[in-house]
Amino acid sequence: MVGATGPVAKKVGAAGLAQTNVCDKVHTRTTKSLAPERRRQAAIGDGMARRDSNMESRHHNLKTRQRRERHGYPDNLSLRVHRALSWRYRAEQETDADSRFIFLWIAFNAAYATEIDDREGLSEQSTFNAFLENLQSLDSNHRLNKLVWDAYPDAIRVLLDNSYVFSCLWDHHKGQKSEDQWKQSFESAKKAANHALAQQDTPRLLAIVLSRIYTLRNQIVHGGATWNSSVNRDQVRDCVNFMGELVPAVIEIMMDGPNTLWGKRVIRWYGMTYAVRKLAVGSIPGMQYPFGFLPDLVSFQFNLHRFEGRV
């Protein structure tokens, strides 16, 4: 009321003050009720920021070392390390847990760089177990032991007890195993894991854990899970944290042992593996070429070597 004076002005002023006090009280109650949630979100954000900062710093250190040493690496190591670092760096840029998990698995697979035969459980494949044994034998700083036994023992036990990341359960749902068969397999797997835990057998336990993580990877990649699903949030979160520490440890250990035979490179080119192309350039004496194009791969082979050094 413009120009009001006297009792009218006092009445309006008192009403306005009372309304202001009510609004302040509501705002105060609302702020107090939101405070715990805001503090929780802020703590989560700070934790993620610190983790991302540590990951970025560690990537920088590993990449700097790789650039300094790569000219002395054999071919079967150089490309593995380069690719693994590139995918780990991509994982660092991702804030979505599902996406980060996928990129971290690609980084690990780039380091392993060997075909995974889905007809046999990952933890039972001899080449995979040999890879982990090599890592353990070269791990003079006990990075893998610290990761398994000190940093993530609880998360690992929860993962091992979770039937939803056990491949035989999904074989049952696909009609490939009976209910009794998958349950028996699950109990046997838990016994094997408990034995590895009791013996502190790091390579064996890692093989079992990674086979469960591989099952989660298959669920997501093959469309067997919903993006950002509340059902698998705990598994994805724990696997992201674990793989985020495991991948750089694996890369670092591999760089510590450059002269170790890490296995054959698997490089796809128009459906042909590197091993097939080695045959194509005459690595076997007396090799007969039934197709005229095979000798033409000789020039490609040399160009490939030069290209891989600069990727």
Side-chain angles (χ1 to χ4, degrees):
M1 184 177 295
V2 180
T5 58
V8 175
K10 291 179 180 178
K11 186 180 292 185
V12 172
L17 181 60
Q19 185 176 7
T20 301
N21 289 338
V22 170
C23 292
D24 287 344
K25 289 177 181 179
V26 171
H27 175 72
T28 301
R29 285 198 299 270
T30 304
T31 303
K32 286 182 178 179
S33 65
L34 291 176
E37 177 63 17
R38 286 175 177 171
R39 286 196 297 269
R40 189 182 72 84
Q41 293 293 340
I44 293 173
D46 291 343
M48 290 183 65
R50 285 194 298 271
R51 183 187 64 188
D52 291 347
S53 177
N54 291 336
M55 287 182 67
E56 186 173 352
S57 175
R58 194 169 184 183
H59 172 82
H60 174 75
N61 293 338
L62 288 173
K63 189 63 182 176
T64 300
R65 178 183 172 185
Q66 182 255 351
R67 286 172 175 159
R68 184 176 64 248
E69 300 176 357
R70 63 185 173 186
H71 298 294
Y73 291 162
D75 288 341
N76 74 334
L77 175 65
S78 182
L79 192 60
R80 292 169 186 247
V81 170
H82 173 76
R83 285 177 171 172
L85 282 172
S86 72
W87 284 108
R88 181 180 180 271
Y89 179 71
R90 179 61 185 87
E92 291 175 8
Q93 314 309 309
E94 193 57 63
T95 57
D96 173 66
D98 291 307
S99 301
R100 180 173 281 198
F101 170 71
I102 292 170
F103 289 134
L104 283 170
W105 180 267
I106 296 173
F108 175 78
N109 208 33
Y112 177 49
T114 303
E115 295 284 355
I116 295 176
D117 187 355
D118 287 330
R119 295 172 299 179
E120 184 180 16
L122 182 61
S123 63
E124 305 305 321
Q125 296 182 26
S126 58
T127 52
F128 187 68
N129 286 307
F131 175 72
L132 296 177
E133 291 284 355
N134 269 344
L135 290 173
Q136 177 73 358
S137 65
L138 293 169
D139 187 13
S140 57
N141 292 323
H142 308 292
R143 284 158 289 206
L144 298 180
N145 286 343
K146 292 173 183 176
L147 182 65
V148 171
W149 307 111
D150 298 336
Y152 293 100
D154 294 335
I156 285 174
R157 284 184 170 86
V158 170
L159 191 68
L160 294 176
D161 286 336
N162 189 339
S163 61
Y164 290 101
V165 289
F166 186 62
S167 61
C168 289
L169 171 63
W170 304 107
D171 291 339
H172 165 62
H173 285 299
K174 290 185 289 187
Q176 298 173 357
K177 290 183 183 293
S178 68
E179 184 174 2
D180 289 340
Q181 285 177 321
W182 90 258
K183 286 184 176 180
Q184 185 177 358
S185 296
F186 187 53
E187 290 303 316
S188 297
K190 286 173 67 175
K191 288 179 181 178
N194 288 331
H195 180 74
L197 284 166
Q199 299 296 316
Q200 293 206 336
D201 186 344
T202 301
R204 183 58 186 156
L205 186 61
L206 272 177
I208 297 171
V209 169
L210 286 167
S211 70
R212 305 298 177 85
I213 295 176
Y214 182 61
T215 299
L216 180 60
R217 171 261 184 202
N218 288 342
Q219 289 174 8
I220 295 175
V221 170
H222 297 301
T226 304
W227 171 76
N228 201 31
S229 171
S230 60
V231 175
N232 65 5
R233 281 308 83 193
D234 290 343
Q235 297 97 284
V236 172
R237 181 203 61 221
D238 290 343
C239 289
V240 164
N241 292 336
F242 180 75
M243 294 294 287
E245 296 291 335
L246 177 65
V247 169
V250 168
I251 295 171
E252 197 170 16
I253 294 168
M254 292 177 74
M255 290 194 293
D256 288 346
N259 296 319
T260 300
L261 180 61
W262 291 108
K264 298 177 182 178
R265 288 181 296 169
V266 178
I267 308 169
R268 295 295 180 187
W269 181 71
Y270 293 105
M272 299 176 67
T273 63
Y274 178 81
V276 171
R277 291 200 309 280
K278 289 293 286 183
L279 295 178
V281 298
S283 60
I284 296 180
M287 174 74 178
Q288 299 297 315
Y289 301 112
F291 305 105
F293 72 89
L294 288 176
D296 294 336
L297 290 176
V298 174
S299 60
F300 168 78
Q301 187 68 47
F302 289 113
N303 289 330
L304 179 67
H305 278 303
R306 296 212 309 268
F307 170 73
E308 284 169 355
R310 297 197 303 267
V311 174

